[in-house]
Structure formats: C-alpha cells, structure tokens
C-alpha cells in the first residue's frame, strides 16, 4: 500500500473519504460552504455523481442508491436540510442497506447564508447520529467511519461541517479506495414503505438504534479524552473549537467529542464526578450543554460564550476567564483586524444590471429571491426589498397581491427568480400563481435565465443546455406555458430600449405575465466582445452609466478638463453595451481599433 500526503480543504477531504470508502453515488444542490464537495468527488471519475435541482431531490437520489445497496452521500448547506427534511425524517425510520451519509455545512456567523442553523438539532430530531470532525484529516477519516457506522447500525449518518473547516486547507494522508460491492436491492415493504402498521414498529427500532449507538459512543475512539494533571475543570467540546482551545493550553482536561449525538453518556457520567467544573464549549446552540443537563450533569457553557457566530481563540480565552479557569488572562475585546471593506459587486457585463437599472427607474414593488440577483437589495440598486428563501418570491408575491387588493391598492408587483431557483423550488410557487391568480391580479414574474447556478460558482441548471451539452434540456417558457401562463415574453436585456418597453408593457398589464431575460452569466460563459470607451469631450458627467454599477466604469479627471468625466477600464469591459445605451449624449462607443 503506497501512502502519500497532500494538502486538502475540508470539502476535498470529505470527497476523498467518500472515494476511499468505496462510495458509489453522490448528489447535492450547490450551496456554500459545501459546494466544492461534489466537484471534488467528480474528479475521481468513479460511480455516479450529479447535481440535483434541489436538496430534497439530491437526498432522494441518495436514498434510492442506498436502498439498492450502494454507499451513497448527499451534501448540502444547512438551509438545504430544511428542503430535504421531509424525505429525511421518514428515511431515518428505515434500516439502511448501502451506507448513507449526509454532509451538512453549517455557517456560524452567516458568512454566506440567510440564517444560522445548528444541524445537530436536526440530526437528533430525525434520530440519526452526527459526527463532527475537528480538522481535515478527521473530515476524511470520519467520512469512512460514517459509512461503517451507517452499515453496522443500519442508520443514516450526518457529518456536520462548518464554513471554516470546509474551506481551510491542511495535510491529509491518502489511502487507496476500498473495493465495496453494490449489494443490490432486496424488496422489503415493511422497511421501505412507511405506512401503518410498519411505522409504529419503526419508532421502537429507531429508539433501540440510538441506545446501541450510545453504547458504541462510550467505547469509540471517535471521542478523545485528554487529562491534565491537577486540573479541576473538564471542558467538553468538538470540531474546530478543540484546536482553538488547545492554542490557549489552559489548565483543564478536555473531552473532544467526534460523535456528538448520541453522547457517550456512560463515559461522561463517570468522568464528570472527577471534576469540580464542567464547561461546554460549542458554537451556535447549547446542544451538548442541554444534552448534559438533561442527563443531570451540572455544567455551564453558553453563560460564557456567544450564542451566535464563530468562536475564535480570543472568545474562548475571554469565556474561560469569566468562568475563572484562566484568572490572569482576562482580555478586553477580541483583536481587531483592519481589512479593507469590499462591498459585494455584480460582475462586469452581468446581465442582471440592466434589469435592476430598469426596475429601479420604474419604482415598482419588487420581491426578490436567492441568487446573484439578491445583490439587487444593495446600493446602488436597492430594488427588491424582500428576500427570504429559495423560491419564496412567488408565494410571497401572491400573498402580497391579495393583501394589496384587499386594501384597494392596485400597484403592480414584480417577482424575481433565477433559472436555478426556478427549478430548485420555484416551480410549486409558479403552479400556485398559474392556477389561482384572478384575472386582474397584476403580477409580473421576471425569470432571470442566465443558464447557471451563478452564485455558487456556475453549476448547471436544467436550462444550461443552450450553451453546453447536458443531459437535461428544459425550456423555461415551455414550462410556464404548459402550466397555463398565456403571456410570456423573452427578451435580450442587453437591448436596453427594447427591454424597457417590454417591462413597461408587462408591468402595466392587468393580470399575470412572465418575462424571461435571456442573457447568460458573464462569469460562467465569459463572452467578451470588443470593449467600449468614453469620449470625455462628449461626456457631460451625468453618471447615468456609473449608476448601472458595472465595475469597469468610474469617474475620473481627464487632462485639460476640470469636471469629472466617465472612464471605462478596457481590460475589464466585456462589451455588453448597456452603459452606452443609457448615456443621454452618445459619449460611450464601441472600440473599433482606434478612438
Ligand atoms: S459595455 Fe459598459 S456596461 Fe458593458 S461591460 Fe463594458 S463598461 Fe460595463
Ligand atoms: S452616461 Fe454618458 S454623459 Fe453620463 S457620465 Fe456616463 S458617459 Fe458621461
């Protein structure tokens, strides 16, 4: 066996663990922080690996594969579990055939998420064990362990990652993959058809499973005890926090939990008797703390540490000082780092910009959704004012319409949705709009079809086939039309004037209509035309072009001219022409080999 080492991110380590464990099927819906797992698995060119239209379908694919005896993995960000929870809650009642692992990326501090959720709660809620790696080496090893646990205890297993662990890089040992057979499907209605009377029995089975796992947890090397001589405090922790705590080297013993649910209760009950203080160090919710308190263990935790966000070494030092464990180490505020502020910005030539520019000028009520176009919430556009969750814009719009109507308010409402989100969970909202909108409900749905899941790095959507070969070829206008939309207009939004006319017409329309904007994502498809330039002698400095928020455009002082005039960075400009179309005096022109 040749063992080598390489530096990997946490996401790549999970992928490697899947490969080494002989995993067959992996599926996911892209979302930060776990988005890179699937591409890393794809690079091993083995088994079946595929993006799904949403997390529920991704989970269902992995369920099907696991039922057929193949080791299967599904990954998603924390909010994705909400979408997948329906099949998950029932699947955890069944006895697993091929190992089944759900990798969830939590995001303490919400670096790239709409909320903060603690997936350990959902693991307990759905009766599945949860492993929490503390570094990349463990991320890989725990993935292999998770498959073993899954098959040994016939249970789905969750691995909880966090943003920092997903993206940090460290050295991991590489081992050859196991040669795991796909066992095949054995029909078993009492196990796979969750209807009464089978479901009742399953409750007892799940309970027994968790009890067995509790026993396993006590014996398992997944949990590690580090005793410090003379220490009267035991800190119980898990994940990256273990390493942050070790940096401080406090006078405490540490129980590092790898298997966080169910807890090794027997081990803990004996252990806590030896210590005066029990302190729980964990991010987000007081999950371990509450489990311990339910067991009757006197402990403290969230009293000293923040209930939200990441906990860095300084936060731990401060908490332990408050707890009296590091008396002389009381720090004031965490060290502040001066990093330059960088506001989120749409890319050069982004096809969403003309849409937002037009909607801003129209002053219409806009309901946004999740995707790059969430940036429409921010300056300089500040177009949409609402953004809740994937696909929610359509249902929200319908609810608002009804309330507006009741108040005698006929103002039009525009719902925005991207193509990825349309297929993720917008379809049911679209059906709801199509089936039940009153004839005079003024609603305009704008589908921003850039043919990719742009915000997470450009994964395919079911409508990507316009620009590349994929096995799915769905046309959004055909879908809308099959659902009963009778008023659908496709528009090239880089034709600013034409798009303006279509927007005005449809927003004015007393009923339901849909507009599909058709320009592809500038970053994914990298379409670069000849760049545009500004003639400063014609420019009147009105800033109309700057307000389209395209990164290459800025105002600058030209020689022999006191007034600030517009300027386009030729290297950044992709030649979409939108700025030239909003310029009232024709100062912006395409570069044709000489100005
Ligand atoms: S043509 Fe204008 S709007 Fe388009 S990419 Fe260039 S600078 Fe930006
Ligand atoms: S829109 Fe035209 S006139 Fe106004 S600043 Fe830009 S280039 Fe100058």
């Amino acid at each position: 066996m040749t063992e080598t080492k390489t530096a990997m991110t946490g996401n790549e380590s999970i992928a490697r663990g899947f490969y080494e464990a002989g995993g067959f099927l992996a599926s996911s819906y892209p979302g930060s922080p776990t988005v890179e797992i699937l591409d890393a698995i794809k690079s091993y060119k083995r088994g079946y690996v595929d993006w799904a239209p949403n997390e529920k379908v991704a989970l269902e694919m992995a369920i099907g594969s696991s039922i057929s005896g193949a080791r299967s993995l599904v990954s998603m960000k924390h909010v994705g579990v909400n979408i997948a929870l329906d099949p998950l809650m029932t699947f955890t009642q069944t006895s697993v055939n091929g190992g089944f692992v759900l990798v969830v990326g939590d995001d303490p501090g919400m670096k790239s998420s709409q909320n903060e959720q603690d997936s350990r709660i959902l693991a307990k809620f759905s009766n599945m064990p949860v492993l929490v790696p503390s570094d990349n080496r463990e991320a890989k090893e725990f993935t292999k362990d998770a498959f073993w646990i899954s098959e040994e205890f016939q249970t789905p297993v969750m691995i909880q990652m966090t943003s920092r662990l997903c993206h940090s890089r460290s050295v991991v040992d590489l081992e050859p993959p196991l040669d795991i057979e796909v066992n095949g499907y054995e029909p078993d209605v009492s196990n796979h058809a969750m209807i009464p009377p089978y479901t009742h029995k399953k409750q007892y089975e799940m309970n027994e499973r968790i009890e067995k796992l509790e026993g396993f947890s006590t014996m398992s090397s997944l949990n590690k005890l580090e005793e410090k001589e003379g220490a009267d405090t035991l800190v119980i922790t898990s994940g990256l926090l273990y390493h942050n705590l070790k940096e401080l080297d406090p006078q405490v013993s540490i129980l590092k939990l790898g298997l966080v649910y169910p807890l090794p209760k027997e081990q803990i009950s004996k252990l806590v008797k030896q210590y005066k203080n029990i302190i729980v160090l964990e991010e987000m919710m007081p999950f371990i703390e509450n489990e311990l308190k339910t067991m009757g263990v006197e402990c403290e935790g969230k009293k000293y540490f923040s209930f939200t966000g990441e906990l860095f070494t300084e936060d731990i030092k401060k908490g332990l000082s408050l707890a009296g464990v590091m008396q002389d180490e009381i720090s004031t505020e965490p060290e502040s780092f001066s990093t330059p502020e960088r506001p989120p910005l749409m890319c050069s030539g982004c096809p969403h910009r003309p849409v937002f520019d037009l909607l801003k000028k129209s002053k219409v009520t806009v309901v946004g959704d999740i995707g790059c176009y969430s940036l429409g919430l921010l300056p300089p556009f500040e177009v949409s004012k609402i953004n809740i969750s994937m696909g929610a814009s359509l249902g929200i719009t319908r609810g608002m319409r009804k309330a507006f109507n009741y108040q005698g308010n006929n103002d039009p409402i525009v719902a925005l949705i991207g193509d990825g989100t349309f297929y993720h969970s917008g379809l049911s909202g679209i059906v709801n709009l199509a089936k039940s909108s009153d004839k005079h409900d003024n609603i305009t749905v704008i589908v921003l079809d850039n043919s990719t899941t742009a915000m997470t790095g450009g994964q395919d959507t079911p409508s990507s086939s316009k620009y590349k070969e994929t096995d799915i070829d769905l046309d959004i206008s055909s879908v809308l039309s099959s659902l009963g939309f009778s008023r659908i207009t496709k528009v090239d939004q880089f034709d600013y004037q034409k798009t303006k006319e279509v927007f005005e017409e449809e927003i004015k329309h007393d009923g339901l209509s849909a507009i599909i904007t058709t320009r592809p994502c500038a970053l994914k498809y990298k379409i670069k035309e000849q760049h545009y330039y500004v003639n400063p002698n014609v420019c009147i400095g009105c800033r109309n072009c700057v307000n389209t928020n395209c990164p290459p455009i800025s105002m600058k002082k030209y020689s022999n001219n006191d007034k600030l005039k517009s300027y386009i960075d030729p290297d950044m400009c992709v030649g979409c022409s939108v700025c030239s179309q909003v310029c009232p005096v024709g100062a912006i022109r395409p570069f044709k080999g000489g100005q």
Side-chain angles (χ1 to χ4, degrees):
M1 186 175 77
T2 345
E3 270 196 20
T4 47
K5 292 176 192 293
T6 190
M8 282 186 169
T9 64
N11 282 337
E12 289 164 348
S13 305
I14 294 277
R16 180 73 198 185
F18 175 75
Y19 170 70
E20 290 183 8
F24 169 73
L25 180 138
S27 58
S28 180
Y29 181 81
S32 187
T34 48
V35 65
E36 298 86 4
I37 293 176
L38 212 69
D39 282 333
I41 292 178
K42 271 186 185 170
S43 70
Y44 292 107
K45 299 191 188 328
R46 207 187 56 190
Y48 184 79
V49 188
D50 204 4
W51 294 109
N54 69 21
E55 295 84 358
K56 177 172 146 352
V57 178
L59 188 104
E60 289 160 350
M61 277 170 60
I63 289 174
S65 164
S66 164
I67 284 176
S68 309
R71 288 194 161 182
S72 309
L73 178 145
V74 56
S75 58
M76 57 194 68
K77 70 180 292 172
H78 61 288
V79 288
V81 188
N82 304 342
I83 306 297
L85 200 57
D86 195 17
L88 179 68
M89 286 297 291
T90 303
F91 180 57
T92 52
Q93 293 189 125
T94 70
S95 297
V96 159
N97 181 11
F100 182 99
V101 175
L102 163 62
V103 182
V104 184
D106 283 2
D107 191 12
M110 296 156 285
K111 301 286 182 301
S112 57
S113 308
Q114 59 269 49
N115 70 20
E116 190 180 77
Q117 286 179 205
D118 195 326
S119 295
R120 298 174 301 176
I121 308 280
L122 289 179
K124 183 180 177 185
F125 185 40
S126 56
N127 286 285
M128 67 199 292
V130 56
L131 299 179
V132 183
S134 68
D135 53 33
N136 297 352
R137 190 194 61 77
E138 282 190 355
K140 192 201 81 162
E141 292 306 320
F142 280 17
T143 305
K144 289 160 64 174
D145 293 334
F147 278 110
W148 180 83
I149 291 170
S150 177
E151 287 169 4
E152 183 70 17
F153 295 89
Q154 296 188 299
T155 176
V157 177
M158 180 190 283
I159 297 179
Q160 185 210 32
M161 298 284 282
T162 54
S163 300
R164 195 160 294 273
L165 188 56
C166 284
H167 296 134
S168 61
R169 191 174 286 273
S170 61
V171 173
V172 170
D173 295 322
L174 302 181
E175 289 159 282
L178 297 173
D179 193 11
I180 300 286
E181 288 293 310
V182 174
N183 292 334
Y185 168 63
E186 276 296 324
D188 181 357
V189 178
S190 67
N191 187 35
H192 296 137
M194 286 301 100
I195 52 168
Y198 308 129
T199 46
H200 188 68
K201 188 168 159 258
K202 287 291 176 185
Q203 293 304 309
Y204 289 90
E205 281 182 16
M206 279 192 296
N207 204 33
E208 279 168 27
R209 196 166 72 190
I210 293 296
E211 279 172 10
K212 279 188 198 155
L213 280 158
E214 226 170 74
F216 165 74
S217 188
T218 286
M219 312 294 297
S220 172
S221 59
L222 290 163
N223 303 320
K224 290 193 166 40
L225 176 65
E226 289 178 17
E227 292 184 283
K228 191 162 251 184
E229 218 181 309
D232 60 3
T233 299
L234 173 69
V235 176
I236 302 180
T237 190
S238 72
L240 262 182
L241 294 183
Y242 162 77
H243 292 288
N244 292 353
L245 175 66
K246 290 283 281 180
E247 266 183 47
L248 293 170
D249 192 26
Q251 180 56 24
V252 297
S253 294
I254 302 170
L255 176 62
K256 177 177 103 56
L257 297 170
L259 182 54
V260 164
Y261 181 76
L263 289 181
K265 288 187 179 170
E266 207 184 309
Q267 181 192 15
I268 290 175
S269 298
K270 284 184 192 150
L271 193 60
V272 293
K273 290 188 188 127
Q274 302 168 28
Y275 292 92
K276 199 167 124 219
N277 310 307
I278 310 296
I279 294 177
V280 181
L281 173 61
E282 59 191 324
E283 276 170 346
M284 299 188 287
M285 300 194 76
F287 179 81
I288 300 170
E289 184 180 346
N290 286 347
E291 289 289 297
L292 293 178
K293 283 178 175 162
T294 309
M295 284 169 59
V297 172
E298 278 184 39
C299 60
E300 291 172 324
K302 284 295 156 188
K303 188 174 167 189
Y304 303 120
F305 306 105
S306 173
F307 71 98
T308 182
E310 292 186 280
L311 294 178
F312 299 106
T313 308
E314 277 300 316
D315 304 307
I316 297 170
K317 194 199 260 186
K318 193 173 172 189
L320 292 181
S321 302
L322 288 170
V325 176
M326 298 180 74
Q327 274 93 346
D328 298 322
E329 295 285 348
I330 295 174
S331 60
T332 48
E333 285 305 310
E335 240 178 276
S336 64
F337 299 97
S338 66
T339 42
E341 297 258 327
R342 193 181 72 98
L345 204 62
M346 283 173 167
C347 307
S348 304
C350 171
H352 298 327
R353 284 179 301 99
V355 174
F356 284 128
D357 192 53
L358 286 166
L359 288 174
K360 181 165 189 171
K361 285 171 183 157
S362 75
K363 300 195 176 11
V364 74
T365 300
V366 176
V367 182
D369 216 301
I370 307 281
C372 287
Y373 50 99
S374 312
L375 298 178
L377 287 160
L378 304 174
F381 295 119
E382 298 173 278
V383 168
S384 52
K385 304 282 187 290
I386 299 166
N387 203 314
I388 301 294
S389 62
M390 293 284 283
S393 61
L394 306 164
I396 291 170
T397 297
R398 179 150 167 74
M400 285 177 79
R401 180 73 275 160
K402 290 300 166 195
F404 275 32
N405 292 355
Y406 181 73
Q407 293 168 306
N409 178 350
N410 297 324
D411 291 351
I413 308 181
V414 170
L416 292 180
I417 190 158
D419 54 313
T421 313
F422 179 87
Y423 289 114
H424 176 277
S425 47
L427 277 170
S428 38
I430 283 283
V431 170
N432 184 43
L433 279 177
K435 76 151 176 65
S436 59
S437 285
D438 296 335
K439 220 166 141 209
H440 297 294
D441 274 357
N442 183 335
I443 293 174
T444 309
V445 177
I446 300 181
V447 185
L448 302 150
D449 181 9
N450 63 2
S451 299
T452 191
T453 318
M455 200 168 209
T456 46
Q459 294 75 23
D460 291 344
T461 77
S463 66
S464 297
S465 55
K466 291 192 286 301
Y467 302 98
K468 57 181 291 198
E469 284 284 311
T470 67
D471 56 350
I472 318 171
D473 183 8
L474 288 186
D475 173 49
I476 290 173
S477 82
S478 309
V479 172
L480 288 172
S481 140
S482 73
L483 293 174
F485 273 69
S486 55
R487 213 177 154 97
I488 306 162
T489 319
K490 280 191 182 183
V491 67
D492 172 359
Q493 66 268 48
F494 284 175
D495 186 342
Y496 189 84
Q497 197 50 41
K498 176 80 176 85
T499 308
K500 185 166 181 267
E501 285 160 23
V502 169
F503 276 24
E504 281 169 359
E505 184 68 25
E506 295 310 310
I507 287 170
K508 201 167 63 198
H509 171 66
D510 189 19
L512 180 64
S513 62
I515 302 168
I516 303 170
T517 62
T518 54
R519 276 282 167 172
C521 169
L523 197 63
K524 167 80 180 175
Y525 299 104
K526 299 209 170 30
I527 297 165
K528 185 160 167 58
E529 307 286 345
Q530 191 58 270
H531 71 82
Y532 278 61
Y533 75 97
V534 179
N535 183 339
N537 299 323
V538 181
C539 173
I540 54 172
C542 70
R543 291 177 184 256
N544 270 4
C545 56
V546 176
N547 290 337
T548 65
N549 194 30
C550 191
I553 315 177
S554 57
M555 300 300 284
K556 81 162 193 180
K557 206 158 170 279
Y558 288 82
S559 54
N560 305 328
N561 213 323
D562 283 347
K563 202 173 167 190
L564 289 176
K565 302 289 177 87
S566 168
Y567 168 75
I568 293 174
D569 181 335
D571 295 332
M572 290 172 76
C573 173
V574 297
C576 78
S577 86
V578 169
C579 57
S580 79
Q581 295 181 61
V582 301
C583 175
V585 294
I588 306 180
R589 296 182 195 151
F591 181 83
K592 288 190 181 129
Q595 296 181 5

